[in-house]
Amino acid sequence: MARFGERWRALNQTQKAIAILAATGVLAGLIVLNQALFRTPYAPLFTGLDPKDAGTISEELKKEKIPYQITNQGKTIEVPEKMVYETRIKIASNGALYSNGVGFELFDQKKFGVTEFEQQVGYQRALQEELRRTIIQVEAVEQARIHLVMPKKSLFLNDQTEPSASIALKLKPAVKISGENVKGIVELVAGSVEGLKPENIHVIDMQGNSLSDGLKLGDKSASLTKATADRNEIRRAFEKELETRVQGMLRQILGPGMAVAMVTAEIDFDQQQYKSTSYDRGQVLSEHNISETGNGPGGAGGSPGTDSDLPGKSIPAAGGGGGGSSFSKEETTTNFQVPAKEETVVKAPGSPKRLSVSVVLNGNYSQAEIQQVRDVVSAAIGYNTARGDQITVSSMAFDDTEKKEIGAELAKQKTMEEERTRNVTMAVIGLSAFVLLALVLKYISRLLRKRAERLEENRRLEEEARKQALLDAQEEKLEFPKIASRQDELRDIASDNPDGVAEILKLWLKEQ
């Protein structure tokens, strides 16, 4: 400690300040490192909580003796990272997450003597809570309240009223809910309540603004309008894709800004279905042949309608004479197994009916070059003459006035930026030179001051040495004669009285 104190006293004020700051920094670093290494890491258990929910969960954590901390203005509860999932399961199983209401777990407890009205009210309460729990899972919704009106069923249709619902949404801060999300919530509630129509559901926010007015729920024209808008969006996306491909290809061939391409497409959104049946010659299943021949005596034939007209009977000769007659009969029946092939072709909607492409080249190009560009674009878009596609390629000088103005403005801004940078650089250089000059002057001043101090110290030492030399010289002049005279006096006394001197010396020796 003594050496440390000596070293500390040997430091000047600046060195002491630097040492104190360094020690403070090291101590703070050790404290932070200790907290980072040995502090228990916490992770969020629940976020975006209401004060009531946060209080209920905090009480549950206290009962379970689980350490926790509350952050984000009381909306987030954090627990040790290793206990997050286990704690979340415990809290959920204890029912602390559903402090705002009771869902279908209301019917887990069997009660005797419950009237039909109480059971209906309990079912309505449970359904409202279940819907609330589902709706708050939507990203933009922080909290929700649902009120259902479920009339009692009547035996008479005239007395039957339709159910309705009202939904109040509390949105997250700085978040706006989209119309699609509101429509999804409406359809969710309509599908969860028997007989509830979407047009009987009303949605508002906490400021009282209606969120369901502009949705046109239950309007068929709205769905048709949306379908048309979707088709236009698909068509424009298809056109944009072709334009991008053609523009990128021409940029690589002609250079940036040397060509403009526009595509107009007619898309067939009709779904078509074709059915065709074809028959091929099949295999023979069976074949039946009948062959008959016969001869008969001559003579008149029988009366019409008698047995003489039946097959196999005698037929009179053509001459009507008495000669004989003959007949023959052949009959063949063949049965085939005819294979039938039925084919159903469904043409998916969305195929292009016609493409129109217009390409304008910047500058004067020959007809051969224009034809080359036309061929390249035709291959890129899948040109089909049978479909009625058309391509127009022309060349003309582009109006680059705006481009020149933008270039001039950019050049002006660049010049101003360079000038500003140069001024800042000069200012920084000047300031640095001033600081450097001040440091050099301070250093030179310190050297001159130290040199003056050394000169003054040398003069002081020389003056002291000169004074010391004078004193030494004066002492040599004044004191040495006195010492010599005293010695002579003692020598004279001892020679004059040797006995007395001996006695004095004996007394001195005894005292010693």
Side-chain angles (χ1 to χ4, degrees), residues 62 87 113 219 321 336 351 380 460 501:
K62 289 180 182 178
T87 306
D219 189 0
F336 294 93
S351 59
R460 187 180 62 80
V501 172

Side-chain angles (χ1 to χ4, degrees), residues 12 17 33 39 64 81 91 95 113 152 173 182 203 231-232 252 309 311 334 348 372 384 400 405 439 441 444 475:
N12 55 28
L33 183 62
R39 183 177 64 89
E64 298 291 338
E81 188 175 4
I91 296 298
K152 185 178 180 181
V182 176
V203 184
R231 291 182 177 183
N232 291 333
Q252 295 293 330
D309 293 334
T334 304
Q372 288 179 353
N384 188 356
D400 56 352
E405 292 178 356
L439 293 175
L441 292 177
I444 294 174
E475 287 180 358

Side-chain angles (χ1 to χ4, degrees), residues 272-276 343-347:
Q272 299 177 359
Q273 182 175 347
Y274 302 96
K275 287 185 178 181
S276 61
E343 185 177 3
T344 302
V345 179
V346 179
K347 185 178 179 182

Side-chain angles (χ1 to χ4, degrees), residues 68-79:
Y68 68 93
Q69 58 185 17
I70 301 176
T71 59
N72 192 19
Q73 300 178 353
K75 296 182 179 180
T76 302
I77 296 180
E78 297 181 350
V79 296

Side-chain angles (χ1 to χ4, degrees), residues 315-501:
I315 298 175
S325 63
S326 64
F327 70 93
S328 65
K329 178 182 179 182
E330 292 184 0
E331 182 179 349
T332 302
T333 304
T334 304
N335 295 323
F336 294 93
Q337 183 181 8
V338 180
K341 181 181 180 182
E342 293 185 358
E343 185 177 3
T344 302
V345 179
V346 179
K347 185 178 179 182
S351 59
K353 293 175 62 177
R354 185 184 179 189
L355 295 178
S356 299
V357 183
S358 176
V359 179
V360 181
L361 307 179
N362 185 14
N364 296 321
Y365 292 86
S366 63
Q367 193 64 31
E369 292 174 338
I370 292 177
Q371 184 62 37
Q372 288 179 353
V373 173
R374 189 179 188 279
D375 295 338
V376 170
V377 175
S378 300
I381 66 171
Y383 179 75
N384 188 356
T385 55
R387 198 168 52 190
D389 297 349
Q390 62 178 358
I391 298 177
T392 303
V393 180
S394 59
S395 64
M396 62 184 68
F398 288 179
D399 183 10
D400 56 352
T401 304
E402 183 178 0
K403 184 177 180 182
K404 290 180 179 179
E405 292 178 356
I406 295 175
E409 185 67 25
L410 291 176
K412 184 179 179 181
Q413 292 181 359
K414 184 177 180 181
T415 304
M416 293 176 62
E417 186 69 23
E418 291 177 353
E419 184 177 358
R420 188 182 300 109
T421 304
R422 184 168 57 254
N423 293 335
V424 172
T425 304
M426 295 299 296
V428 171
I429 293 174
L431 182 62
S432 302
F434 177 76
V435 173
L436 181 61
L437 181 61
L439 293 175
V440 171
L441 292 177
K442 184 177 181 181
Y443 180 72
I444 294 174
S445 176
R446 184 180 299 173
L447 290 179
L448 293 176
R449 186 170 61 253
K450 289 183 177 180
R451 181 179 180 185
E453 291 176 355
R454 285 198 299 269
L455 293 175
E456 183 67 24
E457 183 69 18
N458 292 335
R459 283 198 296 271
R460 187 180 62 80
L461 293 175
E462 290 176 357
E463 184 67 22
E464 290 181 355
R466 189 176 61 80
K467 290 180 180 179
Q468 187 66 31
L470 292 175
L471 291 174
D472 292 341
Q474 188 176 2
E475 287 180 358
E476 289 178 357
K477 292 179 181 178
L478 298 177
E479 294 180 0
F480 288 159
K482 291 181 180 180
I483 295 173
S485 62
R486 289 176 181 175
Q487 290 177 355
D488 293 339
E489 289 178 358
L490 290 174
R491 191 179 296 110
D492 293 340
I493 293 172
S495 62
D496 293 340
N497 190 8
D499 297 330
V501 172

